[in-house]
Amino acid sequence: MIPPSRQSFRPGSEEAAQEQQEREQAYRRARQSGSAPPEDEPWHIVLEVSATASAEEITASYRRLMKQHHPDRFAQEGGAAYEAAVVKSKKITEAYRYAKTLKQFSEKTGRTSRQKPEPETDPPPSGFASSREQEAYQAVGMMWAGWISELALADGQLLLDHLVARRLREAFRFLSVLVQPMGGETARNVLEELEAGRSWQDFRRCSVHVHGLLLQVNRAETARKRRRQEQQRAWEREEAERRREQARRDWQRARNAPPADRAWHVVLEVSEGASNEEITSAYRRLVKQHHPDRFAHVGGDVYQEAVRRTAEITQAYRHVRQYRRF
């Protein structure tokens, strides 16, 4: 923003010179208090009004811009949109403060330059008792936006809706419903805090305590799930071992069973006059094809048939080896 000392005024008028002096003094005070906007962006450009706008026009434009760029509208989005809204609203507020300071001397209010103007204080943000209350509200929105996804909180969107609409009592009741099923002295103390809470600052403090309780509950639930999974894996290992032992016993009984009624060369799928090498090759091929290990995961009748067929092939092969002595 161009300081008043650099602005051009038409000389020759005592009133214009006095007004120029008052503007310079106002500018210096504003710079000292930190309420002057940057020199490269004039206050009337920030507020989207003309440099000669009246106080009413400036105030109306300020309220319109603050409603449009207020960080509360972007609290749920977070990230870059929220940060940009914070910067923009701060710039608008600084420009409005400087405009009020400047207009205080440019308008004819009957004060002389020696009279000390009455100090002005900005009204508290709309819907909040103070700027600290507003900061607590904004911090709460950012916290719960991350915690809801972190905790996989049921009906978490309902809490965000309460926060966006600034329904403080409903937000307190929502947290109370979360804490009520929990036992222990800590949960009872948090419930008492929630019942006594009246402001967004109270809600922010209670939110931190509720978040800690929810983390404890999630850790306990995670530990229970881990124990159940370990028990399930142990049972599966025992069941697999039991099946292998049963298969071994079935295989042993099949090997010791009497020969089948079918002829050995029919079982081994060779001719009766086949050579020893052909018989051995057929035996290996059939055992590989019908071995029970290939059907252990299937179980049932398929597995039992594989056991029976393998035993039959083995008995036929042992019989022909004993018969032919090879």
Side-chain angles (χ1 to χ4, degrees):
M1 179 176 182
I2 303 175
S5 58
R6 302 179 192 173
Q7 296 177 356
S8 59
F9 294 91
R10 283 180 291 182
S13 170
E14 184 176 336
E15 182 179 352
Q18 183 179 359
E19 183 175 354
Q20 168 69 2
Q21 184 179 4
E22 292 174 349
R23 286 177 180 270
E24 290 178 356
Q25 293 174 355
Y27 182 81
R28 284 195 296 272
R29 282 194 300 272
R31 294 294 286 178
Q32 292 173 359
S33 63
S35 62
E39 295 186 1
D40 57 346
E41 195 167 7
W43 64 269
H44 56 89
I45 298 298
V46 177
L47 295 176
E48 299 180 3
V49 295
S50 65
T52 59
S54 65
E56 291 77 11
E57 293 173 333
I58 293 172
T59 301
S61 181
Y62 164 74
R63 291 174 178 172
R64 174 180 58 82
L65 291 173
M66 283 301 295
K67 184 177 180 181
Q68 179 180 353
H69 299 284
H70 200 283
D72 289 351
R73 299 189 58 201
F74 305 90
Q76 187 173 359
E77 299 180 16
Y82 177 77
E83 296 296 336
V86 171
V87 173
K88 182 66 174 177
S89 60
K90 182 177 179 181
K91 183 183 292 186
I92 294 170
T93 302
E94 291 176 348
Y96 180 60
R97 288 177 179 174
Y98 178 74
K100 289 196 302 180
T101 306
L102 200 62
K103 288 292 180 176
Q104 186 179 21
F105 291 92
S106 63
E107 294 176 355
K108 303 305 179 180
T109 60
R111 295 193 188 98
T112 63
S113 58
R114 296 179 182 178
Q115 291 175 323
K116 185 177 181 180
E118 297 179 0
E120 292 187 5
T121 57
D122 290 331
S126 176
F128 299 100
S130 65
S131 58
R132 290 187 178 181
E133 189 81 0
Q134 182 184 24
E135 291 174 1
Y137 167 75
Q138 293 171 352
V140 163
M142 295 297 292
M143 288 190 303
W144 279 111
W147 290 346
I148 285 174
S149 57
E150 170 194 351
L151 300 169
L153 189 62
D155 298 328
Q157 186 58 45
L158 179 59
L159 176 58
L160 291 182
D161 293 341
H162 291 330
L163 296 179
V164 171
R166 301 186 191 175
R167 295 191 289 264
L168 181 59
R169 296 314 307 166
E170 286 80 355
F172 269 115
R173 281 194 289 269
F174 186 93
L175 296 190
S176 297
V177 172
L178 292 180
V179 177
Q180 283 172 358
M182 303 179 189
E185 184 178 356
T186 303
R188 288 194 296 271
N189 293 337
V190 173
L191 276 176
E192 292 177 359
E193 280 189 297
L194 290 169
E195 293 174 359
R198 293 293 182 270
S199 65
W200 286 109
Q201 291 167 305
D202 296 338
F203 187 80
R204 180 181 184 180
R205 183 181 63 257
C206 293
S207 294
V208 175
H209 296 161
V210 172
H211 178 245
L213 289 174
L214 292 175
L215 281 180
Q216 292 178 8
V217 171
N218 277 15
R219 292 193 190 104
E221 182 62 26
T222 301
R224 284 194 294 271
K225 289 181 179 179
R226 188 181 299 113
R227 286 195 296 270
R228 287 196 295 267
Q229 291 173 353
E230 291 174 355
Q231 292 172 356
Q232 178 67 20
R233 286 194 291 268
W235 179 85
E236 291 175 354
R237 287 194 297 268
E238 293 175 359
E239 183 66 16
E241 182 63 25
R242 187 188 64 78
R243 289 180 179 178
R244 284 194 294 270
E245 181 62 21
Q246 183 64 36
R248 188 187 66 80
R249 289 196 295 268
D250 293 343
W251 172 252
Q252 190 66 30
R253 284 196 299 270
R255 290 188 62 181
N256 297 330
D261 295 335
R262 295 192 300 169
W264 63 267
H265 58 87
V266 175
V267 174
L268 295 176
E269 299 179 2
V270 295
S271 65
E272 190 172 2
S275 64
N276 296 341
E277 291 77 10
E278 291 174 336
I279 294 172
T280 301
S281 177
Y283 162 74
R284 292 173 178 173
R285 174 178 57 81
L286 291 173
V287 167
K288 182 178 180 180
Q289 179 180 350
H290 299 284
H291 200 282
D293 288 350
R294 298 187 58 196
F295 307 93
H297 66 286
V298 179
D301 295 339
V302 176
Y303 175 76
Q304 295 299 330
E305 176 61 21
V307 171
R308 188 199 64 78
R309 185 78 174 93
T310 305
E312 184 183 34
I313 295 169
T314 302
Q315 291 170 10
Y317 181 63
R318 291 171 62 185
H319 173 74
V320 70
R321 287 190 61 187
Q322 184 178 6
Y323 172 71
R324 290 194 176 187
R325 301 181 182 277
F326 70 89

